[in-house]
Amino acid sequence: MTVQQEAVSGTGAGVPLEVWIDQDLCTGDGICAQYAPEVFELDIDGLAYVKSADDELLTEPGVTTPVPLPLLTDVVASANECPGDCIHVRRVADGVEVYGPDAD
Ligand code: SF4
């Protein structure tokens, strides 16, 4: 099952998802910003942060941003490839992590 199909079944869709980064574990390699620059960006401190829908860098610890469905595959790839294991994708409704180090 593809990520997009999962999103349309139980894991995601229609089911709103959000993503956050644990900067304490970020290595600053920038893989996430390469996969999904609409969602992730490196700040001047060399660490990755999520961005709001209107492209604002969100730097508060633990802050989340919605995952746009067209970008879900890229965001999940970022979480899977993240060397810091610090990208967390969770359901908005119940906060359950569906992709990332704390997902089942
Ligand atoms: S992929 Fe992970 S470790 Fe690398 S910059 Fe992004 S959040 Fe940080």
Side-chain angles (χ1 to χ4, degrees):
M1 187 180 290
T2 68
V3 169
Q4 293 282 359
Q5 287 170 328
E6 285 177 13
V8 178
S9 62
T11 313
V15 179
L17 300 177
E18 59 190 8
V19 59
W20 66 281
I21 293 175
D22 181 354
Q23 278 81 26
D24 287 346
L25 298 176
C26 177
T27 70
D29 56 84
I31 289 174
C32 54
Q34 291 175 13
Y35 273 111
E38 303 89 345
V39 177
F40 305 113
E41 185 174 312
L42 297 182
D43 200 2
I44 54 173
D45 62 4
L47 302 177
Y49 294 85
V50 296
K51 299 199 292 186
S52 69
D54 58 1
D55 212 36
E56 179 191 359
L57 203 62
L58 305 174
T59 56
E60 301 85 5
V63 67
T64 66
T65 196
V67 179
L69 187 57
L71 299 177
L72 179 60
T73 302
D74 294 328
V75 170
V76 171
S78 301
N80 289 340
E81 300 295 326
C82 172
D85 273 341
C86 57
I87 297 177
H88 303 264
V89 181
R90 67 187 188 192
R91 283 193 298 257
V92 173
D94 56 11
V96 171
E97 183 156 316
V98 291
Y99 301 105
D102 298 330
D104 286 338

